Amino acid sequence: MQQDIQQLLNKVLTSIQEVGSTDKLYDLKVQVLGKSGELTSILKGLRELTPAQKSEIGKIVNDAKAKLEQAFDARQIELKHQETTALLKSQAVDISIDKHLRQIGNFHPLSITRNRIVNWFVGLGFVVHESPEIDTEYYNFQALNVLDDHPARDMQDTFFVGDGVLLRSHTSNGQIRAMESIKPPLKILSPGTVYRADNIDATHSPMFHQIEGLVVDKGLTMGDLKGILSLFAKFVFGEKTEIRLRPSYFPFTEPSVEVDASCNCKSGCKICRGTGWIEILGAGMVNQKVLSNCGINPSRFSGFAFGMGLERINNIVYGITDIRHLYENDLRFLRQFVV
Ligand code: DAH
């Protein structure tokens, strides 16, 4: 009997180590120490023994029982720990995110250039005065002294969206809207999107952007216009940049000029086509008729205005040779312009 107990003890101790879960350990415990368990039945069998045997074997059985209980408890703690660890692992949430999933966006190059230009003019006291993209013929043409027979008023050049209503073909409508709503002296900048019935190619797009500037005050001259534009050219293209004014014609300015900036290439490049000069904008003294159209007395006030193509300035600054890159949303292109 002693031997049976020892064998059972060894067998169960080994099984305890082999069991792989707390559930199975519990089953094993019931199987050995439960009401009808193997060790329990041995204890029950003691009844048939003599008192001397009873005390001798009883002690052995109790020892074995104590050893087993200890082994069961120890293994229970071990398995419970393993199971908890496995559970936590399986339920774990990975709170770290792959840095590649969090791509930080950057401004579109046109926004970068627009913001640079706008901020510069704001620093000189200009106020941003945006005007509608859908406007009437009056604001886009008539009030600006663009007469009925002007080619720009042709259906082929301008997108008409209704009777006398159009997608503005330039930001110069902003001049009229500003002069109608602000009493002179005024100093405004009107950036925005403009539309022309052009096919898209490397240098044209039916939608593009302009920045219009207008200053109205007492005693302004071409000297003031040239001074500001000369500083502006140095700011956008670099300190060494010079400008030259060429006589031109716009119905809303008199006199009118086209402004060229000196090219940095010196030796003649693709952008300046070997001339050393790049046309950057149109400008002039506000036509007295335009001032009158807006209720401003031309004998008291004078003004100067300028309008530049944002894409043009942007592409000169960055050396971009095809305007289409700006609209195609190719991230490989756009990601190059991080400021
Ligand atoms: N609106 C003209 C254009 O789109 C540009 C321009 C020329 C604006 C002379 C002006 C200006 O304000 O004075 O071609």
Side-chain angles (χ1 to χ4, degrees):
M1 193 166 214
Q2 220 172 318
Q3 229 173 356
D4 289 351
I5 295 168
Q6 193 55 51
Q7 256 174 16
L8 180 67
L9 180 65
N10 291 342
K11 188 187 88 180
V12 177
L13 285 176
T14 314
S15 301
I16 288 174
Q17 291 315 311
E18 281 167 2
V19 142
S21 73
T22 49
D23 284 349
K24 293 219 169 93
L25 185 71
Y26 177 78
D27 292 345
L28 181 65
K29 194 171 177 181
V30 171
Q31 196 187 312
V32 182
L33 300 176
K35 263 188 196 162
S36 41
E38 294 173 60
L39 197 71
T40 318
S41 21
I42 294 176
L43 269 172
K44 280 179 189 161
L46 291 184
R47 271 181 246 143
E48 281 131 46
L49 301 177
T50 63
Q53 281 174 322
K54 245 187 216 170
S55 90
E56 187 194 343
I57 305 290
K59 194 181 166 308
I60 294 170
V61 176
N62 281 333
D63 276 0
K65 196 180 168 193
K67 272 191 191 141
L68 285 175
E69 270 168 355
Q70 210 180 12
F72 272 116
D73 287 351
R75 184 71 178 143
Q76 167 74 17
I77 292 170
E78 207 172 277
L79 287 172
K80 189 78 204 160
H81 177 72
Q82 279 174 15
E83 283 170 2
T84 310
T85 311
L87 186 72
L88 288 178
K89 223 178 195 172
S90 74
Q91 292 181 346
V93 177
D94 183 1
I95 56 162
S96 63
I97 295 179
D98 186 334
K99 71 177 164 55
H100 297 295
L101 291 177
R102 295 176 67 216
Q103 279 163 356
I104 296 172
N106 55 277
F107 279 109
H108 189 281
L110 287 178
S111 299
I112 297 173
T113 304
R114 184 201 56 215
N115 291 348
R116 270 189 78 210
I117 295 174
V118 169
N119 289 340
W120 188 81
F121 278 103
V122 166
L124 289 188
F126 282 72
V127 171
V128 174
H129 190 273
E130 284 178 318
S131 45
E133 278 177 39
I134 300 174
D135 213 341
T136 61
E137 271 189 282
Y138 176 77
Y139 286 98
N140 196 81
F141 293 131
Q142 209 173 313
L144 285 159
N145 192 39
V146 183
L147 302 177
D148 280 349
D149 57 357
H150 193 281
R153 296 183 77 148
D154 201 306
M155 295 282 281
Q156 267 136 29
D157 291 309
T158 303
F159 289 114
F160 283 86
V161 293
D163 197 17
V165 182
L166 43 76
L167 300 185
R168 65 169 171 198
S169 61
H170 52 184
T171 44
S172 303
N173 65 334
Q175 291 190 34
I176 307 302
R177 295 211 167 256
M179 286 189 278
E180 276 186 0
S181 63
I182 309 167
K183 274 203 159 127
L186 61 92
K187 217 165 162 184
I188 63 104
L189 205 63
S190 191
T193 312
V194 301
Y195 303 86
R196 285 184 199 173
D198 269 329
N199 286 324
I200 193 149
D201 63 26
T203 51
H204 296 86
S205 158
M207 179 226 60
F208 59 103
H209 303 84
Q210 288 187 333
I211 299 178
E212 190 87 10
L214 169 71
V215 180
V216 179
D217 206 339
K218 285 180 179 154
L220 291 176
T221 68
M222 283 293 273
D224 298 302
L225 172 64
K226 191 175 179 187
I228 275 202
L229 294 180
S230 153
L231 288 174
F232 170 70
K234 291 183 192 303
F235 166 71
V236 262
F237 304 121
E239 262 315 296
K240 295 204 181 100
T241 310
E242 300 290 333
I243 60 164
R244 70 176 186 188
L245 308 188
R246 277 182 292 110
S248 184
Y249 173 76
F250 298 103
F252 31 91
T253 41
E254 182 60 35
S256 302
V257 289
E258 264 166 300
V259 180
D260 297 340
S262 60
C263 186
N264 288 332
C265 72
K266 291 188 187 86
S267 52
C269 68
K270 254 192 192 166
I271 300 177
C272 68
R273 292 198 210 92
T275 63
W277 293 96
I278 313 165
E279 186 188 320
I280 57 165
L281 52 84
M285 300 308 290
V286 179
N287 191 318
Q288 298 201 350
K289 281 188 204 159
V290 175
L291 292 175
S292 299
N293 287 342
C294 300
I296 294 171
N297 183 350
S299 55
R300 290 187 61 210
F301 289 100
S302 58
F304 64 78
F306 52 89
M308 64 186 94
L310 180 58
E311 279 78 352
R312 180 153 181 81
I313 307 276
N314 179 75
N315 290 0
I316 296 167
V317 169
Y318 288 118
I320 297 167
T321 49
D322 192 326
I323 199 175
R324 287 169 291 198
H325 289 309
L326 297 171
Y327 312 124
E328 282 167 353
N329 290 334
D330 184 336
L331 291 179
R332 291 168 303 177
F333 172 77
L334 295 175
R335 287 208 178 106
Q336 299 175 85
F337 303 91
V338 177
V339 274

Coordinates of all heavy atoms in Angstrom, one line a residue, residues 158-215:
T158 N -13.7 84.9 -72.9 CA -14.3 85.0 -71.6 C -15.4 84.0 -71.4 O -16.2 83.7 -72.3 CB -14.8 86.4 -71.3 OG1 -13.8 87.3 -71.5 CG2 -15.3 86.5 -69.9
F159 N -15.4 83.3 -70.2 CA -16.5 82.4 -69.9 C -17.7 83.1 -69.4 O -17.6 83.7 -68.3 CB -16.1 81.4 -68.8 CG -15.0 80.4 -69.3 CD1 -13.7 80.4 -68.7 CD2 -15.3 79.4 -70.2 CE1 -12.8 79.5 -69.1 CE2 -14.4 78.4 -70.5 CZ -13.1 78.5 -70.0
F160 N -18.7 83.2 -70.2 CA -20.0 83.8 -69.7 C -20.8 82.7 -69.1 O -21.0 81.6 -69.6 CB -20.7 84.5 -70.9 CG -20.1 85.8 -71.3 CD1 -19.0 85.8 -72.2 CD2 -20.6 87.0 -70.7 CE1 -18.4 87.0 -72.5 CE2 -20.0 88.2 -71.1 CZ -18.9 88.2 -72.0
V161 N -21.4 83.0 -67.9 CA -22.3 82.0 -67.3 C -23.7 82.5 -67.3 O -24.6 81.7 -66.8 CB -21.8 81.7 -65.8 CG1 -20.4 81.0 -65.8 CG2 -21.7 83.0 -65.0
G162 N -24.0 83.6 -67.8 CA -25.4 84.1 -67.8 C -25.4 85.4 -68.5 O -24.3 85.9 -68.9
D163 N -26.5 86.0 -68.6 CA -26.6 87.3 -69.3 C -25.9 88.4 -68.5 O -26.3 88.7 -67.4 CB -28.1 87.7 -69.4 CG -28.3 88.8 -70.4 OD1 -27.4 89.0 -71.2 OD2 -29.4 89.4 -70.4
G164 N -24.8 88.8 -69.0 CA -24.0 89.9 -68.4 C -23.2 89.4 -67.2 O -22.6 90.1 -66.4
V165 N -23.2 88.0 -66.9 CA -22.5 87.4 -65.8 C -21.4 86.5 -66.3 O -21.6 85.8 -67.3 CB -23.5 86.6 -64.9 CG1 -22.7 86.1 -63.7 CG2 -24.6 87.5 -64.4
L166 N -20.2 86.6 -65.7 CA -19.1 85.9 -66.2 C -18.2 85.4 -65.1 O -18.3 85.8 -64.0 CB -18.3 86.8 -67.2 CG -18.1 88.3 -66.8 CD1 -17.0 88.4 -65.7 CD2 -17.7 89.1 -68.0
L167 N -17.3 84.5 -65.5 CA -16.2 84.1 -64.6 C -15.1 85.2 -64.9 O -14.7 85.4 -66.0 CB -15.6 82.7 -65.0 CG -16.5 81.6 -64.9 CD1 -15.8 80.3 -65.2 CD2 -17.2 81.5 -63.6
R168 N -14.7 85.9 -63.9 CA -13.8 87.0 -64.1 C -12.6 86.6 -64.9 O -12.0 85.6 -64.6 CB -13.4 87.7 -62.8 CG -12.6 86.9 -61.9 CD -12.0 87.7 -60.8 NE -11.4 86.8 -59.8 CZ -11.2 87.1 -58.5 NH1 -11.4 88.3 -58.1 NH2 -10.6 86.3 -57.7
S169 N -12.2 87.5 -65.8 CA -11.0 87.2 -66.6 C -9.7 87.7 -66.1 O -8.7 87.5 -66.6 CB -11.2 87.7 -68.1 OG -11.4 89.1 -68.0
H170 N -9.9 88.6 -65.0 CA -8.7 89.1 -64.3 C -9.2 89.6 -62.9 O -10.4 89.6 -62.6 CB -8.0 90.2 -65.1 CG -9.0 91.3 -65.5 ND1 -8.6 92.4 -66.3 CD2 -10.3 91.6 -65.3 CE1 -9.6 93.2 -66.5 NE2 -10.6 92.7 -65.9
T171 N -8.2 89.8 -62.1 CA -8.6 90.3 -60.7 C -8.8 91.8 -60.7 O -9.0 92.4 -59.6 CB -7.5 89.9 -59.7 OG1 -6.2 90.2 -60.3 CG2 -7.5 88.5 -59.3
S172 N -8.8 92.4 -61.8 CA -8.9 93.9 -61.9 C -10.3 94.3 -61.4 O -10.6 95.4 -61.0 CB -8.6 94.4 -63.3 OG -7.3 94.1 -63.6
N173 N -11.3 93.3 -61.5 CA -12.6 93.7 -60.9 C -12.5 94.1 -59.5 O -13.3 94.9 -59.0 CB -13.6 92.5 -61.1 CG -13.2 91.3 -60.3 OD1 -12.0 91.1 -59.9 ND2 -14.2 90.4 -59.9
G174 N -11.5 93.6 -58.8 CA -11.2 93.9 -57.4 C -10.9 95.4 -57.2 O -11.2 96.0 -56.2
Q175 N -10.4 96.0 -58.3 CA -10.1 97.5 -58.2 C -11.4 98.3 -58.0 O -11.6 99.1 -57.1 CB -9.4 98.0 -59.4 CG -8.0 97.5 -59.7 CD -7.4 98.3 -60.8 OE1 -7.7 99.5 -61.1 NE2 -6.5 97.6 -61.6
I176 N -12.4 97.9 -58.9 CA -13.7 98.6 -58.8 C -14.4 98.4 -57.5 O -14.9 99.3 -56.8 CB -14.6 98.2 -60.0 CG1 -13.8 98.3 -61.3 CG2 -15.9 98.9 -60.0 CD1 -13.3 99.7 -61.6
R177 N -14.4 97.1 -57.1 CA -15.1 96.7 -55.9 C -14.5 97.4 -54.7 O -15.2 97.8 -53.8 CB -15.2 95.2 -55.7 CG -16.0 94.6 -56.8 CD -16.7 93.3 -56.4 NE -17.7 92.9 -57.3 CZ -19.0 93.1 -57.1 NH1 -19.5 93.6 -56.0 NH2 -19.9 92.7 -58.1
A178 N -13.1 97.5 -54.7 CA -12.5 98.2 -53.6 C -12.8 99.7 -53.5 O -13.1 100.2 -52.5 CB -11.0 98.0 -53.7
M179 N -12.7 100.3 -54.7 CA -12.9 101.8 -54.8 C -14.4 102.1 -54.4 O -14.7 103.2 -53.9 CB -12.5 102.3 -56.1 CG -11.0 102.4 -56.3 SD -10.5 103.3 -57.8 CE -10.6 102.1 -59.0
E180 N -15.3 101.2 -54.7 CA -16.7 101.4 -54.4 C -17.0 101.3 -52.9 O -17.9 101.9 -52.3 CB -17.6 100.4 -55.1 CG -17.9 100.8 -56.5 CD -19.0 99.9 -57.2 OE1 -19.4 98.9 -56.5 OE2 -19.3 100.1 -58.3
S181 N -16.1 100.4 -52.2 CA -16.5 100.2 -50.8 C -15.5 100.9 -49.8 O -15.8 100.9 -48.6 CB -16.5 98.7 -50.5 OG -15.3 98.1 -50.7
I182 N -14.3 101.3 -50.3 CA -13.4 102.0 -49.3 C -13.2 103.4 -49.8 O -12.9 103.6 -51.0 CB -12.1 101.2 -49.3 CG1 -12.3 99.7 -49.0 CG2 -11.2 101.8 -48.2 CD1 -11.0 98.9 -49.2
K183 N -13.2 104.3 -48.9 CA -13.0 105.8 -49.3 C -11.5 105.9 -49.4 O -10.7 105.4 -48.6 CB -13.5 106.7 -48.2 CG -14.9 107.0 -48.3 CD -15.2 108.3 -47.6 CE -16.5 108.9 -48.1 NZ -17.5 109.3 -47.2
P184 N -11.0 106.7 -50.4 CA -9.5 106.9 -50.5 C -9.1 107.8 -49.4 O -9.9 108.6 -48.9 CB -9.4 107.6 -51.9 CG -10.7 108.2 -52.2 CD -11.7 107.3 -51.5
P185 N -7.8 107.7 -48.9 CA -6.8 106.9 -49.5 C -7.0 105.4 -49.3 O -7.4 105.0 -48.2 CB -5.5 107.4 -48.8 CG -6.0 107.9 -47.5 CD -7.4 108.5 -47.8
L186 N -6.6 104.6 -50.2 CA -6.7 103.1 -50.1 C -5.5 102.4 -50.7 O -4.9 102.9 -51.6 CB -8.0 102.6 -50.6 CG -8.3 102.8 -52.1 CD1 -7.9 101.6 -52.9 CD2 -9.8 102.9 -52.3
K187 N -5.3 101.2 -50.2 CA -4.1 100.5 -50.5 C -4.5 99.0 -50.4 O -4.4 98.5 -49.3 CB -3.0 100.8 -49.5 CG -1.6 100.9 -50.0 CD -0.8 101.6 -48.9 CE 0.7 101.4 -49.0 NZ 1.4 102.0 -47.8
I188 N -4.9 98.4 -51.5 CA -5.4 97.1 -51.4 C -4.7 96.1 -52.3 O -4.0 96.4 -53.3 CB -6.9 97.0 -51.7 CG1 -7.2 97.4 -53.2 CG2 -7.8 97.8 -50.7 CD1 -7.5 96.2 -54.1
L189 N -4.8 94.8 -51.9 CA -4.3 93.7 -52.7 C -5.4 92.7 -52.9 O -6.1 92.4 -51.9 CB -3.2 93.1 -51.9 CG -2.1 92.3 -52.6 CD1 -1.3 93.3 -53.5 CD2 -1.1 91.7 -51.6
S190 N -5.6 92.3 -54.1 CA -6.7 91.4 -54.4 C -6.2 90.2 -55.1 O -6.1 90.1 -56.3 CB -7.8 92.2 -55.2 OG -9.0 91.5 -55.3
P191 N -5.9 89.1 -54.3 CA -5.4 87.9 -55.0 C -6.6 87.0 -55.3 O -7.6 87.1 -54.6 CB -4.6 87.2 -53.8 CG -5.2 87.8 -52.6 CD -5.9 89.1 -52.9
G192 N -6.5 86.2 -56.3 CA -7.6 85.3 -56.6 C -7.5 84.5 -57.9 O -6.5 84.7 -58.6
T193 N -8.5 83.7 -58.1 CA -8.5 82.8 -59.3 C -9.2 83.6 -60.5 O -10.2 84.3 -60.2 CB -9.3 81.6 -59.0 OG1 -8.8 81.1 -57.7 CG2 -9.1 80.5 -60.0
V194 N -8.7 83.4 -61.7 CA -9.3 84.0 -62.8 C -9.4 83.0 -63.9 O -8.8 81.9 -63.9 CB -8.4 85.2 -63.3 CG1 -8.3 86.2 -62.3 CG2 -7.1 84.7 -63.8
Y195 N -10.3 83.3 -64.9 CA -10.6 82.2 -65.9 C -10.6 82.8 -67.3 O -11.1 84.0 -67.5 CB -12.1 81.7 -65.7 CG -12.2 81.1 -64.3 CD1 -12.5 82.0 -63.2 CD2 -12.0 79.8 -64.0 CE1 -12.6 81.5 -61.9 CE2 -12.2 79.3 -62.8 CZ -12.5 80.1 -61.7 OH -12.6 79.6 -60.4
R196 N -10.0 82.1 -68.2 CA -10.1 82.5 -69.6 C -10.3 81.3 -70.5 O -9.8 80.2 -70.2 CB -8.7 83.2 -70.0 CG -8.7 84.6 -69.5 CD -7.5 85.4 -69.9 NE -7.3 86.5 -68.9 CZ -6.3 87.3 -68.9 NH1 -5.3 87.1 -69.7 NH2 -6.2 88.2 -68.0
A197 N -11.0 81.5 -71.6 CA -11.3 80.4 -72.5 C -10.1 80.0 -73.3 O -10.0 80.1 -74.6 CB -12.5 80.8 -73.4
D198 N -9.1 79.5 -72.6 CA -7.8 79.1 -73.3 C -7.7 77.5 -73.2 O -8.2 76.9 -72.3 CB -6.6 79.6 -72.5 CG -6.1 80.9 -73.0 OD1 -6.3 81.2 -74.2 OD2 -5.6 81.7 -72.2
N199 N -7.0 77.0 -74.2 CA -6.7 75.5 -74.0 C -5.5 75.4 -73.1 O -4.7 76.3 -73.1 CB -6.4 74.9 -75.4 CG -7.7 74.7 -76.2 OD1 -8.7 74.4 -75.6 ND2 -7.6 75.0 -77.5
I200 N -5.4 74.2 -72.5 CA -4.2 74.1 -71.6 C -3.0 73.7 -72.4 O -3.1 72.8 -73.3 CB -4.6 73.1 -70.4 CG1 -3.5 73.3 -69.3 CG2 -4.7 71.7 -70.9 CD1 -3.9 73.0 -67.9
D201 N -1.9 74.3 -72.1 CA -0.6 73.9 -72.6 C 0.4 74.3 -71.6 O 0.1 74.6 -70.5 CB -0.4 74.5 -74.0 CG -0.2 76.0 -74.1 OD1 0.1 76.6 -73.0 OD2 -0.5 76.6 -75.1
A202 N 1.7 74.3 -72.0 CA 2.8 74.5 -71.0 C 2.7 75.9 -70.4 O 3.2 76.0 -69.3 CB 4.1 74.3 -71.7
T203 N 2.1 76.8 -71.1 CA 2.1 78.2 -70.5 C 0.7 78.8 -70.3 O 0.6 79.9 -69.9 CB 2.9 79.1 -71.4 OG1 2.5 79.0 -72.8 CG2 4.4 78.8 -71.4
H204 N -0.3 78.0 -70.7 CA -1.7 78.6 -70.6 C -2.6 77.6 -69.8 O -2.4 76.4 -69.9 CB -2.3 78.8 -72.0 CG -1.7 79.9 -72.8 ND1 -0.6 79.6 -73.6 CD2 -1.9 81.2 -72.8 CE1 -0.2 80.7 -74.1 NE2 -0.9 81.7 -73.7
S205 N -3.6 78.1 -69.1 CA -4.5 77.3 -68.5 C -5.8 78.1 -68.4 O -5.8 79.3 -68.3 CB -4.0 77.0 -67.1 OG -5.1 76.6 -66.3
P206 N -7.0 77.4 -68.6 CA -8.3 78.1 -68.5 C -8.5 78.7 -67.1 O -9.4 79.6 -67.0 CB -9.3 77.1 -68.9 CG -8.6 75.8 -68.8 CD -7.2 76.0 -68.9
M207 N -7.8 78.2 -66.2 CA -8.0 78.7 -64.8 C -6.6 79.0 -64.3 O -5.7 78.2 -64.4 CB -8.6 77.7 -63.9 CG -8.8 78.2 -62.5 SD -8.3 76.9 -61.3 CE -6.6 76.6 -61.6
F208 N -6.4 80.2 -63.8 CA -5.1 80.5 -63.2 C -5.3 81.6 -62.1 O -6.4 81.9 -61.7 CB -4.0 80.9 -64.2 CG -4.4 82.1 -65.1 CD1 -3.8 83.3 -64.9 CD2 -5.3 82.0 -66.1 CE1 -4.1 84.4 -65.7 CE2 -5.6 83.1 -66.9 CZ -5.0 84.3 -66.7
H209 N -4.2 82.2 -61.6 CA -4.3 83.1 -60.5 C -3.6 84.4 -60.7 O -2.6 84.4 -61.4 CB -3.8 82.4 -59.2 CG -4.4 81.1 -58.9 ND1 -4.1 80.0 -59.5 CD2 -5.5 80.8 -58.1 CE1 -4.8 79.0 -59.1 NE2 -5.7 79.5 -58.2
Q210 N -4.2 85.4 -60.2 CA -3.5 86.7 -60.3 C -3.5 87.4 -58.9 O -4.3 87.1 -58.0 CB -4.3 87.7 -61.3 CG -4.2 87.3 -62.7 CD -4.8 88.3 -63.6 OE1 -5.8 89.0 -63.3 NE2 -4.3 88.3 -64.9
I211 N -2.6 88.4 -58.8 CA -2.6 89.2 -57.7 C -2.7 90.7 -58.2 O -1.8 91.1 -58.9 CB -1.4 89.0 -56.8 CG1 -1.4 87.6 -56.2 CG2 -1.4 90.0 -55.6 CD1 -0.2 87.2 -55.4
E212 N -3.7 91.4 -57.7 CA -3.9 92.7 -58.2 C -3.6 93.7 -57.1 O -3.9 93.4 -55.9 CB -5.5 92.9 -58.5 CG -5.8 94.2 -59.2 CD -5.7 94.0 -60.7 OE1 -5.5 92.9 -61.2 OE2 -5.8 95.0 -61.4
G213 N -3.0 94.8 -57.4 CA -2.7 95.8 -56.4 C -3.2 97.1 -56.8 O -3.3 97.4 -58.0
L214 N -3.7 97.9 -55.8 CA -4.3 99.2 -56.1 C -4.0 100.2 -55.0 O -4.2 99.8 -53.8 CB -5.8 99.1 -56.4 CG -6.5 100.4 -56.5 CD1 -6.2 101.2 -57.8 CD2 -8.0 100.2 -56.3
V215 N -3.4 101.3 -55.4 CA -3.2 102.4 -54.4 C -3.9 103.6 -54.9 O -3.6 104.0 -56.0 CB -1.7 102.6 -54.1 CG1 -1.5 103.7 -53.1 CG2 -1.0 101.3 -53.7

